[in-house]
Each structure stands twice: as C-alpha cells, then as structure tokens.
Amino acid sequence: MALKIKIKKCGMVRKIEGVKKSGFYGKVIANGKKTFEEILKASTHGSTLDYREAELACKMMIDGIADSIKQGYIVDLGVLGRLYPAVNGSWSENPDNLQLADMKPKVNYKAG
C-alpha cells in the first residue's frame, strides 16, 4: 500500500553563508485526524475481539515499550519503525566536561 499524502510547496528565505536566499520546501497537507478509539473500532470491525479489549492490549504494550526505552533498549515496532533512546546535551572538546545531569533524555523515531 502506497503512502497517500498531498504536498504543498511553501516559500522560505534562508540565510546561507551570510546571504539571504529564497527557496521552497514541501509541507504535508493532512487528510484530517483519527482518534485512538476510531482506529481501534475500525481495526477490530468484523472480529470477535472487542475494541475495548484491543485498547487494553495496546495500553499494556505501550507500558512495555516505555519500560524498554527507559532501560536503554531500541524498540522495533515492525512496519511502524523504531524508537531509540537518546539525549540532548551540550558539546565539549573535553569529555570530562560532559555531565549526565546536563543531558535531557528523549526518544528518537525512525520510520519503517
């Protein structure tokens, strides 16, 4: 199944080596928004699984994913992609200047 998206060309001015240059970038136009419940109901339609049971299973899986990331694991979500534990922090020429207290944890996502 191909990705069904619409792209809008948007103008932008950037400063490159001190010179302002005009250019364009692509911006996705969304087809709307779907709630978690709407997706669950559509996914379980025609199944013996009730959407509320699927919701509980998803929430349990999300808890497991969060725990795995907190323990430093990369989480492979199959066709959805991967979640990587990461940090934001400052740069230093001296490794002794880097302190864990100065780094903020975050999660990076790579599409599948």
Side-chain angles (χ1 to χ4, degrees), residues 9-75:
K9 296 175 187 172
C10 298
M12 179 180 186
V13 177
R14 288 184 66 189
K15 201 172 200 178
I16 301 172
E17 296 176 5
V19 179
K20 288 185 178 181
K21 295 189 178 187
S22 295
F24 296 88
Y25 69 97
K27 181 179 178 182
V28 173
I29 300 172
N31 294 323
K33 186 163 93 171
K34 292 236 178 184
T35 66
F36 186 60
E37 186 174 320
E38 289 172 332
I39 292 169
L40 284 169
K41 285 181 177 179
S43 298
T44 57
H45 180 73
S47 168
T48 59
L49 183 67
D50 186 74
Y51 80 93
R52 289 172 289 254
E53 293 172 311
E55 179 181 22
L56 178 61
C58 287
K59 288 182 177 180
M60 291 171 68
M61 187 181 80
I62 290 169
D63 289 344
I65 289 169
D67 289 341
S68 295
I69 288 177
K70 287 176 185 176
Q71 293 174 19
Y73 288 96
I74 295 170
V75 177

Side-chain angles (χ1 to χ4, degrees), residues 1-8 27-32 34:
M1 181 175 172
L3 185 61
K4 294 181 182 179
I5 58 173
K6 296 174 192 162
I7 305 291
K8 178 181 176 183
K27 181 179 178 182
V28 173
I29 300 172
N31 294 323
K34 292 236 178 184

